C-alpha cells in the first residue's frame, strides 16, 4: 500500500438504552473495513470476521474466538459486510438470552450506519 493512500484509523462511540439496559457501541474504522464492539460491560467475549467474496453473493464469515453456539456476532458481521462491502470484525458481548434485544441492537446499528456512514 502506498503511504499516501492510507487514510488512518478513526474511532466512533455511541450508546443507547435498549430497552432496559444501556448498550455501548464502539467502532474502529480502518482502510477497507471496521471493527464493531457491542456490549454493556468492557468484555471481549467473542470475535467474528466477515468479508465479501467475488465467488458468492453471501459474504464469507467465521468466528475467530468465542462460543460457536452463539451465532450473533457472525451473522451481524456478515450482514454488515454485505451492506457496507467492507471487511467487518464484530464482537457482540451481550447475553444471548433475549433474541428481541439482538434485533433492537441490530436496528440501532443500521440507524447509526444510515445517519453516519462515514464512521463505518
Amino acid at each position: 500500500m502506498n503511504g499516501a493512500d492510507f487514510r488512518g484509523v478513526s474511532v466512533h462511540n455511541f450508546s443507547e438504552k435498549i430497552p432496559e439496559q444501556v448498550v455501548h457501541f464502539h467502532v474502529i474504522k480502518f482502510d477497507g473495513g471496521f471493527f464493531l464492539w457491542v456490549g454493556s460491560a468492557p468484555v471481549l467475549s467473542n470475535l467474528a470476521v466477515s468479508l465479501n467474496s467475488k465467488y458468492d453473493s453471501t459474504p464469507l464469515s467465521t468466528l475467530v474466538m468465542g462460543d460457536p453456539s452463539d451465532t450473533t456476532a457472525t451473522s451481524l458481521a456478515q450482514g454488515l459486510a454485505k451492506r457496507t462491502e467492507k471487511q467487518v470484525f464484530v464482537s457482540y458481548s451481550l447475553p444471548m438470552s433475549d433474541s428481541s434485544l439482538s434485533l433492537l441492537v441490530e436496528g440501532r446499528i443500521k440507524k447509526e450506519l444510515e445517519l453516519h456512514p462515514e464512521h463505518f
Side-chain angles (χ1 to χ4, degrees):
M1 172 192 301
N2 182 344
D5 294 336
F6 183 69
R7 294 178 194 93
V9 174
S10 66
V11 176
H12 176 63
N13 297 303
F14 57 102
S15 298
E16 183 89 19
K17 191 169 183 177
I18 307 174
E20 302 271 331
Q21 72 181 40
V22 177
V23 178
H24 303 285
F25 303 84
H26 182 73
V27 181
I28 302 173
K29 180 182 174 185
F30 50 87
D31 268 356
F34 61 93
F35 167 80
L36 169 66
W37 176 85
V38 179
S40 56
V43 174
L44 188 72
S45 58
N46 57 40
L47 181 64
V49 63
S50 185
L51 63 148
N52 290 301
S53 166
K54 63 181 180 180
Y55 303 108
D56 196 348
S57 61
T58 303
L60 304 169
S61 60
T62 191
L63 187 66
V64 177
M65 64 171 258
D67 180 2
S69 69
D70 183 2
T71 60
T72 310
T74 307
S75 62
L76 185 56
Q78 193 172 44
L80 288 169
K82 185 170 188 148
R83 186 179 187 118
T84 62
E85 298 182 356
K86 295 180 178 181
Q87 182 178 24
V88 178
F89 294 87
V90 171
S91 177
Y92 188 90
S93 298
L94 292 171
M96 62 180 214
S97 58
D98 187 2
S99 62
S100 65
L101 175 65
S102 60
L103 290 173
L104 293 170
V105 166
E106 190 173 335
R108 180 60 180 96
I109 294 166
K110 287 178 181 177
K111 178 181 172 186
E112 192 72 14
L113 186 58
E114 289 170 6
L115 293 173
H116 302 286
E118 69 277 9
H119 295 302
F120 293 86

